[in-house]
Amino acid sequence: MEHSDFALELKALTDDGTVEGYAAIFGNVDNGGDKIAPGAFVGGMTKARQSGRSIKMLWNHDPYQPIGVWEDLAEDAKGLWGKGRLVLDVAKAREIHALMKADVISGLSIGYRTREAEPDGNVRVIKKADLFEISPVTFPMNERARISAVKSDGMDDVVNKLKAGDRLTEREFELMVKGLGLSNAQAERAARIHLKGPGEPAT
């Protein structure tokens, strides 16, 4: 299995776990020297649909940590577009969902097997490939592989404050950690512990 990161534009991440955007942009060369050509995934995705094989959403390419599924994938002139769903009944998926909304995890990587490639100078151009999974990753190999836009109800203010380096209120901290699977009581206790310091937490 090969892994490559490409310029990513995640257009939406909703509270129900729906993920939508581009997992790969054509013409981008990753740090391993690979470039995906337009049309590379079409044949493989057609075969996957015909056989009933779904494209998995894994955590950091780990086959033992599935966190969702990509339900709709298609190529257009720009790249590989997809719409998927984090399975929020899974604890790890809830954790990744919260971290993505907070812009802590901001990269995706694709897992595929090359079927046809050709050299272009120092670059290997992937002409045909079978796509198996698309993973959120902690450290994407290609620095351009970043989540560029996240939209979620109830978390926008929290995300903006984190980006600005502002201190969260107890209520905002509780909202964030509940997304990691903590109960109400656990979230309240975590807020009291982690917001201690000089002065009182904002209210």
Side-chain angles (χ1 to χ4, degrees), residues 74-177:
E75 284 195 19
D76 59 20
K78 184 174 184 176
L80 177 64
W81 171 89
K83 185 174 183 179
R85 175 173 49 87
L86 286 154
V87 179
L88 298 183
D89 290 335
V90 176
K92 176 59 73 173
R94 291 196 300 273
E95 177 183 339
I96 301 308
H97 186 242
L99 292 171
M100 289 173 74
K101 287 196 295 184
D103 206 26
V104 176
I105 293 174
S106 58
L108 288 188
S109 181
I110 59 175
Y112 62 95
R113 181 175 295 121
T114 299
R115 294 169 50 212
E116 181 181 327
E118 64 182 30
D120 181 12
N122 294 325
V123 174
R124 183 179 69 147
V125 180
I126 309 299
K127 306 287 286 186
K128 293 182 181 180
D130 291 329
L131 182 68
F132 290 95
E133 52 93 7
I134 304 173
S135 292
V137 291
T138 310
F139 299 110
M141 180 172 62
N142 189 322
E143 293 181 357
R144 289 183 60 201
R146 291 288 185 268
I147 295 170
S148 61
V150 174
K151 299 178 182 178
S152 57
D153 295 334
M155 285 293 293
D156 290 343
D157 291 341
V158 173
V159 171
N160 289 335
K161 290 183 76 170
L162 288 170
K163 287 180 178 179
D166 295 335
R167 195 176 186 188
L168 299 180
T169 66
E170 286 192 33
R171 178 70 186 90
E172 289 166 339
F173 189 93
E174 289 171 18
L175 179 64
M176 182 177 68
V177 297

Side-chain angles (χ1 to χ4, degrees), residues 5-93:
D5 305 311
F6 293 87
L8 170 70
E9 295 181 10
L10 184 57
K11 298 300 184 183
L13 176 65
T14 66
D15 283 347
D16 67 358
T18 298
V19 180
E20 182 177 352
Y22 283 89
I25 305 297
F26 298 138
N28 180 37
V29 180
D30 72 12
N31 288 349
D34 288 342
K35 177 170 65 174
I36 302 292
F41 297 117
V42 172
M45 289 192 299
T46 299
K47 287 198 307 182
R49 283 193 292 267
Q50 291 173 344
S51 66
R53 177 175 66 81
S54 61
I55 305 301
K56 302 298 189 292
M57 188 185 302
L58 306 179
W59 166 236
N60 263 336
H61 300 299
D62 186 346
Y64 296 103
Q65 294 197 77
I67 57 173
V69 64
W70 295 93
E71 299 170 322
D72 191 9
L73 290 164
E75 284 195 19
D76 59 20
K78 184 174 184 176
L80 177 64
W81 171 89
K83 185 174 183 179
R85 175 173 49 87
L86 286 154
V87 179
L88 298 183
D89 290 335
V90 176
K92 176 59 73 173

Side-chain angles (χ1 to χ4, degrees), residues 173-187:
F173 189 93
E174 289 171 18
L175 179 64
M176 182 177 68
V177 297
K178 282 178 185 177
L180 301 177
L182 274 66
S183 67
N184 288 340
Q186 289 170 331

